[in-house]
Amino acid sequence: MRFGGLVFLLLLACIYLTLAQGSYEDCCLKYAKFVPKKIYRMAAAYRLQETDGGCNIPAIVFTLRRGRMFCADPSHRWAVDLIKRINSRKHLKKQMRQG
């Protein structure tokens, strides 16, 4: 019976470590300080990173047209402007599809 309990605890520890490792894969660890205009035009989407769970810094994660990503500080003006630009492009595309 002791051996079965030990195996169970070992299995539980392995599952816990596997789940903990998966939560850190998609977090920003630092911010981009400067983004060239070319990259600025290629930004296609964004998502907000919260400081809950395994992510230590708040960030805006921008995705470029070809799938590459970079992180920005949400307090920087250029990051907020880029969010507005992406939202307006999405709004225009939606209007063009409807009208």
Side-chain angles (χ1 to χ4, degrees):
M1 186 66 181
R2 285 185 174 172
F3 181 74
L6 184 62
V7 170
F8 177 73
L9 286 176
L10 184 62
L11 182 64
L12 191 62
C14 290
I15 291 172
Y16 175 77
L17 290 174
T18 303
L19 293 175
Q21 286 177 346
S23 66
Y24 291 107
E25 291 179 11
D26 213 12
C27 291
C28 295
L29 302 176
K30 62 181 181 175
Y31 302 125
K33 294 178 183 171
F34 174 75
V35 178
K37 289 290 183 184
K38 180 181 177 182
I39 301 296
Y40 196 81
R41 288 189 294 264
M42 292 175 59
Y46 69 93
R47 68 174 176 82
L48 300 176
Q49 173 179 294
E50 302 289 330
T51 55
D52 59 347
C55 301
N56 296 330
I57 60 172
I60 303 168
V61 183
F62 290 102
T63 305
L64 303 178
R65 289 181 190 154
R66 293 187 180 180
R68 295 186 69 188
M69 294 183 209
F70 67 93
C71 302
D73 187 343
S75 65
H76 286 168
R77 182 171 173 89
W78 66 265
V80 175
D81 290 342
L82 186 52
I83 287 175
K84 290 177 183 176
R85 184 176 180 151
I86 291 169
N87 287 340
S88 68
R89 273 191 258 159
K90 286 183 179 182
H91 184 68
L92 285 174
K93 283 182 181 180
K94 189 176 180 180
Q95 281 183 340
M96 290 178 77
R97 288 180 188 162
Q98 291 177 352

